[in-house]
Amino acid sequence: HSPDSDISNYYVYYGMQPTGAPGSCNYEQSQAVKSPPATITGLEPNTPYFFAISAFKESESPCSFEFMLVTPSTNLEET
């Protein structure tokens, strides 16, 4: 799915706690991105994070459904 050309920015909201409310953007952190995909840096290893996305056209949309990802551990084999 390609990004909507009328969208000026997307916002990635994230944190270690869920918001508990569908459509909520009430997270600890956020990062603006011009278009998907987005790379979020500075996350703790092997930690669950909750994410939601909103789009900005003329105003900001409600956040997407929340999803949870666990960051990879830092125990990657060095070569």
Side-chain angles (χ1 to χ4, degrees), residues 12-13 20 35 45 55 63 66 71 75-77:
V12 178
Y13 290 90
S35 65
C63 270
E66 179 175 84
T71 55
N75 296 341
L76 302 175
E77 257 185 61

Side-chain angles (χ1 to χ4, degrees), residues 2 4 6 11 15 17 26 32 35-37 39 41-42 44 50 54 56 61 64-65 68-70 73 75 77-78:
S2 62
D4 185 331
D6 292 338
Y11 294 94
Q17 299 294 319
N26 191 20
S35 65
T39 300
T41 60
E44 294 292 322
F50 296 86
S54 73
F56 187 87
S61 72
S64 66
F65 286 108
M68 190 269 293
L69 295 171
V70 177
S73 70
N75 296 341
E77 257 185 61
E78 294 182 20

Side-chain angles (χ1 to χ4, degrees), residues 13-34:
Y13 290 90
Y14 60 99
M16 293 183 194
Q17 299 294 319
T19 65
S24 173
C25 296
N26 191 20
Y27 292 89
E28 300 156 358
Q29 307 266 346
S30 66
Q31 180 175 320
V33 296
K34 282 290 184 193

Side-chain angles (χ1 to χ4, degrees), residues 4 6-11 54-61:
D4 185 331
D6 292 338
I7 302 295
S8 60
N9 278 311
Y10 292 86
Y11 294 94
S54 73
F56 187 87
K57 196 171 189 174
E58 293 172 4
S59 62
E60 188 173 358
S61 72

